[in-house]
Amino acid sequence: MPARAKRSRARSRRKGGKAAGPKRPVKPAFLTAGAKISDFYRPLKKPVTIRIDADVLAWFQKDGNRYQTRINLALRRVMEREMKAS
């Protein structure tokens, strides 16, 4: 087998066995129904380390999973309320 073919097969295996090539962007189905991208906007998430009182953390965690999402929502409400006030 020529060296060029070996390199090509090795690259193909590294990429999950699929042939590498240009991919056309596909318009998601939900955008064809008249929806706008802004309707589905999700802010970027940034990982941070924050120190929270143990009782506050326990209160958010008592409902189970997604406590970080609930903390983010509570902070967002405070932020939006203060933005409206100024």
Side-chain angles (χ1 to χ4, degrees), residues 22-77:
K23 295 181 181 176
R24 285 186 330 167
V26 178
K27 192 172 187 178
F30 64 82
L31 289 179
T32 59
K36 295 177 273 182
I37 289 180
S38 62
D39 293 339
F40 300 96
Y41 171 72
R42 292 177 53 191
L44 294 176
K45 304 288 185 180
K46 299 213 47 140
V48 297
T49 301
I50 184 170
R51 298 180 64 83
I52 299 174
D53 294 337
D55 59 334
V56 173
L57 182 59
W59 185 79
F60 277 102
Q61 288 178 330
K62 73 177 169 50
D63 292 330
N65 293 337
R66 298 181 47 104
Y67 69 93
Q68 292 175 331
T69 301
R70 289 192 301 276
I71 292 171
N72 188 61
L73 182 59
L75 291 170
R76 176 168 294 284
R77 287 179 180 157

